[in-house]
Each structure stands twice: as structure tokens, then as C-alpha cells.
Amino acid sequence: MEANSGYHRYMPISPTRDTPDSPRRRIVEAAVELLESGGPDAVSTRAVAAAAGVQPPAIYRHFGDKDGLLEAVAEYGYAQFLESKRARLDLSPEDPVEELRRGWDMVVEFGVSRPELFTLMNRATGSGPVAAHRAGLEILHGRVRRLAAAGWLRVDENLAAQIIQATGQGGVATWHATPAERRDPALLTVLRESMIAAVTRAEPMVPAAESGPAPAARALRAALPDDAGVLSDAEQRLLREWLTRLAADGGPPHA
């Protein structure tokens, strides 16, 4: 899920930095076309090279191997997604719950309209998520932190992010697994509103309205920068662990 402020910070490196007729960009765009027309099996190095008008060794020269090419395709798809949604996000309301609702809709819309590319963008490799997926997760966690800081979040931040991601990806997967004549858009609406109800409160919680240290811990954790320079890495990890425990149940950290 992507927030207006996250565009420039988290935009992945993508083929759009190349000129339209550069070999690298032609290769990636050819791979995208093959992926969307024929699925992952259609994206062979030989087929991509032929479609791009280059020799197969050019693929290895620019991307290292097929996995490197697929990661570039995922980043290209993610950049396309952000670009196509920028105007809508620039008009995003200040209400963080409505921002979450609209962001979820945009991600699901992309997944419904471009399933092969969406699946590739959300894949994980043996070493973890590809760059496009990591960028999306960072933006999602930023949105969840804003909900927490404003007092809207009803569950732990990590759990909230997992629920948001699972309902979006699950909705897209279910949509495509259902025969076209049986697809009902109400499914996606119900999933979205169920997600909203699961992760947010009906009204924002102000610290004075909730007893104990939990609300203060949630607010402080949400406000912490990614790198609090006055603390060492170990101290930052320890502080976040304590705040997470306090935010969960209001009890003191355990030794």
C-alpha cells in the first residue's frame, strides 16, 4: 500500500530511467509483454531476446541471470503502478483510515487487472522479497505507523500490516480463481471493510481515554524515526521491543 509521501522515498530503481530504445528497457518491456500474455513459462531468455531484438547474452550482461531479469520486471511493474496512481494519491484525504481504504482498493485493482505482474511483484526469493516487494512493504508499514500515531489502530502494527497484505493478496487470488461468470465485486468490498474493522477502531483512541502505558507506548513507537541517531542499533532494538510489549498489554517489559 502506498502513501502520497512514500512515492519519492520508496520508488524502486526501474527501467524507466533508461531511454525508450535502450537495450535494457527493450528487454524488460519484452519480458513484461511475454509475462502478461503467456504467464511465467513464456518468459524464457530466448523468447525475451527475440522479442527485444537482442542476442541472449545481452540479458545476462544487463541482469546477471533470469532471476535478475524477473526482479527488474517486478520493479518496472511497481514503478508503473506508482506512476498510474500518483494523481489519485495526491488527492488522498488526511483521514488515515480513508487513506488505508483507498490504498487497499488501488492495490487490489492493480492485481485484478494485471495478475501475472502482480504475482511477480509480490513474490519472495530464497533470500527474501524482491526489491519491489520490499518497497511496498516499507510503504505499508509507514501507513500503519500513521494509523497508530493517530490513535486509530486496534491491533499490533505488525499484525495490522499482515492483515492488510493478506486480505489484499487473498482477494486478488480468489477473484482470479473464480470463474468469470461467478465473480462478484461485492467480495472485494466486504473483504476491504472486514480488514478496516479488524485493524482500526470506530473512533481514534486518545491517550487519556485508555488506562495504563499501552497508548503512550503505541504513540511513541509510531513516532520513532527509522534511525534514532542518539541510540546505538542494539539500544534501538531493545527500545522497540519494550515498546511493543507495553503496547500489547500495558504490562512492564519482562526480563
Side-chain angles (χ1 to χ4, degrees), residues 123-201:
R123 74 172 183 149
T125 65
S127 59
V130 297
H133 190 192
R134 288 196 299 270
L137 290 177
E138 289 183 47
I139 293 170
L140 170 59
H141 282 281
R143 169 164 290 170
V144 170
R145 283 194 296 271
R146 287 190 293 279
L147 285 164
W152 284 102
L153 209 60
R154 72 159 67 237
V155 297
D156 175 81
E157 290 180 36
N158 287 330
L159 178 58
Q162 290 170 8
I163 292 170
I164 296 165
Q165 185 180 18
T167 53
Q169 293 184 1
V172 170
T174 302
W175 181 267
H176 289 297
T178 303
E181 67 276 9
R182 293 174 52 196
R183 292 172 182 165
D184 186 348
L187 166 70
L188 302 178
T189 301
V190 170
L191 274 176
R192 182 195 65 206
E193 294 309 306
S194 297
M195 176 274 295
I196 293 290
V199 303
T200 66
R201 303 175 184 274

Side-chain angles (χ1 to χ4, degrees), residues 57-69:
I59 294 177
Y60 298 99
R61 184 167 62 252
H62 286 287
F63 305 100
D65 54 21
K66 183 177 177 180
D67 283 342
L69 171 60

Side-chain angles (χ1 to χ4, degrees), residues 38-103:
D41 291 342
V43 188
S44 68
T45 53
R46 185 179 298 276
V48 171
V54 300
Q55 295 298 315
I59 294 177
Y60 298 99
R61 184 167 62 252
H62 286 287
F63 305 100
D65 54 21
K66 183 177 177 180
D67 283 342
L69 171 60
L70 291 176
E71 181 160 350
V73 168
E75 292 183 354
Y76 182 84
Y78 195 73
Q80 282 191 322
F81 169 70
L82 291 182
E83 182 65 29
S84 69
K85 305 307 178 186
R86 177 177 283 118
R88 289 166 63 178
L89 286 174
D90 284 344
L91 300 175
S92 184
E94 293 184 3
D95 178 353
V97 178
E98 184 60 23
E99 181 187 49
L100 172 60
R101 181 179 280 109
R102 289 176 58 175

